[in-house]
Amino acid sequence: MCRRIGTVSSYYDHCVVERYLEHSPAHHLRLPKIHEDPAKLTWLSRWELDALMHCAIDSAQSADWAVIVLLAILGLRVSEACAVKIEDIRTDPAGYRLLKMVGKGGKPDLKVLPIPTWAAVDRAATNQLQTGPRIRKSGPLLLRRDGSPMNRRSAALIVERLARAAQITTEVTPHSLRRTHATLAIQSGVPIEVVQQSLGHA
């Protein structure tokens, strides 16, 4: 109901801006308040994440491991993970690999890739050719099986497939992995300010 009323209200606002109407008949509508049910919020335990990671590592699909790493280890939003380009990853003078990205609201961000994630990123950037594997130098990091850029839906399908393979019984979505990133960090004693920064929250 809230989405439908919001859509209608935005439509009338547009009509006012374009001068088809003098005022919006939906201007004074009150949208119902939405309260997210905490019981529906899911995240994985350390052991579930470990099982999921092993299934991703063993997967024959080159992007599967990187999808889990970007969402659960780096805590990216699924849209941010799908937007990562190979050229966004660079090595600094000290030898560490950095991911330069644009977060929600167009906010620039710079993340240090933990060393154990490098292999996942390299696998996703590798083309398997008849002449042997070749590292791609540019373009989207995450590709689907047909070579097209990965989107939110295809990333969600990968997460669902790997969760089934890991015998995880709860519903797991890409955002569940982002919540897992935050929850496990807090449980491990990471200061809330560090978790906040890693999630890109204001």
Side-chain angles (χ1 to χ4, degrees), residues 144-156:
R144 297 190 292 190
R145 293 184 188 182
D146 61 3
S148 61
M150 192 170 294
N151 56 32
R152 297 167 62 98
R153 178 61 183 151
S154 48

Side-chain angles (χ1 to χ4, degrees), residues 138-197:
S138 61
L141 175 66
L142 302 178
L143 298 178
R144 297 190 292 190
R145 293 184 188 182
D146 61 3
S148 61
M150 192 170 294
N151 56 32
R152 297 167 62 98
R153 178 61 183 151
S154 48
L157 289 174
I158 287 173
V159 172
E160 290 174 14
R161 171 168 50 80
L162 293 174
R164 285 195 303 271
Q167 299 181 347
I168 297 172
T169 55
T170 56
E171 181 184 1
V172 183
T173 66
H175 204 70
S176 302
L177 299 184
R178 181 170 159 84
R179 277 196 292 270
T180 298
H181 168 83
T183 303
L184 295 186
I186 291 171
Q187 288 177 351
S188 300
V190 176
I192 191 69
E193 296 83 3
V194 176
V195 177
Q196 173 185 336
Q197 184 179 19

